[in-house]
Amino acid sequence: MAQKVNIVWFRRDLRLQDNTALCHALCAGLSVVPLFIFDKNILGQLEDKADRRVEFIRAALQEMQEKLKAFGSTLEVFYETPMEAFSRLSEKYSIQKVFANIDYEPYATLRDEEVRQFLKVKQAEFVTFKDQVITEKDEVVKEDGTPYTVFTPYSRKWRATIKDEDFRQYDCQKHFRQFYQQDPLAIPTLKQMGFEAVDFPFPSKQLMEDIIAHYDATRNFPGNEKGTSRLGVHLRFGTISIRQLAARAKKLNETYLNELIWRDFYQMILWHFPKVGKG
């Protein structure tokens, strides 16, 4: 009989610490299988076979894999469509719950609903959590409950709404022994997926507090390499925690915090007006 497990499905949250879905999965009582899917529905549309995003994701997965191996576990990584991947996983494991952090883009919403219905037929549950933003959906709206479409009043309401607990970080590492135990599984290479590497380093994900502290004075000078944090790609794919970054920005620099509020604003717009993401 297949082993009963829960699955944590990584998407835009490629880290093992302060990860909402991961921490809930590790505390849910069953062994947890970590999953990532290189989605053919997305990668198949990429014309540039030296796409740095694919290379960045694979490098982040490799870093996660090394940490998981230290705890006797491994990532399950597929280069397939999500439905193909879950069909194969359901043959290998007795899936009880799949934990994931919410992705607000239109394709992701449709994808997740399709997976949810597949799991329902298998008598498994799909549960999602807020993670890549501080506020989401209807958490910051006008008094009449309608969404803001202008940033400035939204940002004022955001600041009035936010509480210290919104920056609370999750200590996942103390539960790492809950990962499903098995030998390391191979991560598909870039070549196997039809992509190629570019010999150029990615920006560091180290949080440079001196840069954030002086961000308002230095950000408008493109020639100053140390004027911006260069954390955009890490926020995009969740290799750093938005809660950790926003908590520091709140103490160090209001201008930098404002940039993070813009991220929440855009995700809120995308949720309420999904056609924005289909241009």
Side-chain angles (χ1 to χ4, degrees):
M1 180 176 287
Q3 175 76 37
K4 287 185 178 182
V5 299
N6 289 330
I7 288 176
V8 58
W9 181 11
F10 294 98
R11 290 100 73 88
R12 299 189 189 279
D13 51 350
L14 305 182
R15 66 188 186 280
L16 297 177
Q17 186 64 342
D18 191 22
N19 183 314
T20 312
L22 173 60
C23 284
H24 280 87
L26 293 172
C27 294
L30 290 176
S31 294
V32 175
V33 175
L35 166 69
F36 183 83
I37 302 169
F38 281 104
D39 188 345
K40 282 189 173 181
N41 292 330
I42 297 174
L43 269 59
Q45 298 180 32
L46 301 180
E47 296 182 1
D48 183 2
K49 298 310 175 183
D51 194 300
R52 294 281 279 160
R53 293 170 295 183
V54 182
E55 185 180 359
F56 180 89
I57 291 169
R58 194 187 182 284
L61 294 175
Q62 192 62 55
E63 183 178 331
M64 293 168 64
Q65 181 78 316
E66 294 306 310
K67 294 177 181 178
L68 287 166
K69 284 164 60 176
F71 287 88
S73 189
T74 182
L75 279 162
E76 289 263 12
V77 182
F78 294 86
Y79 173 50
E80 296 181 353
T81 68
M83 291 303 297
E84 289 170 341
F86 275 100
S87 179
R88 288 179 57 188
L89 285 166
S90 67
E91 294 174 359
K92 180 176 180 180
Y93 305 104
S94 176
I95 303 171
Q96 304 300 297
K97 286 186 179 182
V98 174
F99 293 75
N101 290 314
I102 301 171
D103 188 338
Y104 304 92
E105 296 193 0
Y107 165 73
T109 301
L110 295 174
R111 172 202 65 198
D112 286 359
E113 184 56 31
E114 187 176 18
V115 170
R116 188 188 308 276
Q117 293 305 318
F118 172 84
L119 292 169
K120 186 176 181 180
V121 171
K122 299 289 185 179
Q123 297 184 316
E125 188 178 354
F126 185 48
V127 291
T128 57
F129 303 87
K130 176 178 69 174
D131 184 77
Q132 64 166 303
V133 291
I134 302 298
T135 65
E136 65 168 5
K137 300 179 183 178
D138 297 319
E139 291 183 337
V140 178
V141 292
K142 299 176 184 178
E143 294 302 319
D144 63 2
T146 59
Y148 286 99
T149 55
V150 177
F151 176 70
T152 300
Y154 171 87
S155 65
R156 286 196 293 263
K157 184 68 171 289
W158 189 99
R159 292 172 187 273
T161 301
I162 212 71
K163 301 178 179 63
D164 287 343
E165 63 191 51
D166 293 308
F167 301 108
R168 180 172 66 90
Q169 297 173 38
Y170 294 85
D171 184 5
C172 303
Q173 187 165 343
K174 63 183 180 181
H175 303 293
F176 278 5
R177 292 297 178 189
Q178 200 62 32
F179 281 120
Y180 184 73
Q181 302 292 289
Q182 61 177 321
D183 292 335
L185 301 172
I187 298 175
T189 65
L190 290 174
K191 185 176 181 180
Q192 287 172 332
M193 296 186 289
F195 290 87
E196 58 189 56
V198 177
D199 188 18
F200 192 79
F202 291 106
S204 170
K205 64 180 174 182
Q206 183 178 355
L207 178 58
M208 304 297 289
E209 294 196 348
D210 59 328
I211 292 177
I212 293 176
H214 299 97
Y215 182 77
D216 55 318
T218 60
R219 66 170 182 157
N220 292 323
F221 298 92
N224 180 4
E225 293 184 3
K226 296 184 178 180
T228 59
S229 68
R230 305 184 73 203
L231 293 176
V233 67
H234 295 287
L235 284 170
R236 180 75 172 87
F237 296 108
T239 50
I240 60 173
S241 161
I242 183 61
R243 289 177 293 276
Q244 178 190 12
L245 186 56
R248 298 307 300 149
K250 186 171 183 288
K251 294 180 179 180
L252 292 171
N253 193 286
E254 284 294 312
T255 302
Y256 194 92
L257 178 63
N258 209 52
E259 295 298 303
L260 301 182
I261 300 174
W262 267 106
R263 291 183 73 255
D264 279 14
F265 177 68
Y266 177 71
Q267 295 297 341
M268 181 274 296
I269 290 291
L270 198 58
W271 178 261
H272 287 283
F273 308 102
K275 288 185 179 180
V276 170
K278 298 179 180 179

